[in-house]
Amino acid sequence: MLEQRVSVLEQKIDRIDGALQRLEPAIREIALTSAKQAELQKLQLEVANLNGKLEAISGRMDGQFKGVEGKFQGLEARISSLPSTWTMLGIVFTTWALGSGILIFAMNFLKK
């Protein structure tokens, strides 16, 4: 009787051992998958942090570019208000003509 119980117990232990041996690769695969998922989640958090930092930098850069753009518009307005070459030449020739006219008038006035 005891031998039969031991025999049945050995058979059950053999079946349990076989089942554990079949489950062992699956358990290892699950452990590796869990580790990979943990690494993936960590990587996703790092990427999210980098995205946040890039958005902050981008916002600051946009503000700086808008400031520079405003300064360029002001510079463009100043440059457009400067006289052109033809305007400068006109002023020079007009001044010479007025000076010559005054000189001629003064010489004619003093001759008499």
Side-chain angles (χ1 to χ4, degrees):
M1 173 99 167
L2 185 59
E3 289 180 18
Q4 288 177 344
R5 292 175 78 183
V6 170
S7 171
V8 170
L9 188 59
E10 284 178 351
Q11 289 175 356
K12 287 183 181 182
I13 289 177
D14 287 340
R15 284 193 327 201
I16 291 172
D17 188 40
L20 285 177
Q21 286 179 0
R22 288 190 307 271
L23 287 175
E24 189 176 0
I27 292 171
R28 285 186 183 152
E29 185 177 332
I30 289 171
L32 287 174
T33 304
S34 296
K36 288 179 184 177
Q37 286 179 347
E39 290 177 18
L40 180 63
Q41 288 176 348
K42 184 178 177 182
L43 184 61
Q44 286 174 340
L45 286 174
E46 289 177 6
V47 168
N49 287 339
L50 285 175
N51 281 340
K53 289 178 183 178
L54 286 176
E55 287 176 6
I57 290 171
S58 176
R60 280 187 270 144
M61 293 294 284
D62 286 343
Q64 289 176 351
F65 281 133
K66 286 180 183 177
V68 170
E69 185 176 305
K71 288 180 182 179
F72 275 130
Q73 287 176 350
L75 183 62
E76 181 181 345
R78 285 182 176 179
I79 290 174
S80 66
S81 69
L82 289 174
S84 67
T85 304
W86 292 110
T87 306
M88 293 298 287
L89 288 175
I91 291 171
V92 168
F93 288 136
T94 302
T95 306
W96 285 350
L98 284 173
S100 299
I102 292 172
L103 186 61
I104 290 171
F105 175 76
M107 289 173 67
N108 284 335
F109 184 74
L110 291 176
K111 253 187 192 181
K112 295 182 184 184

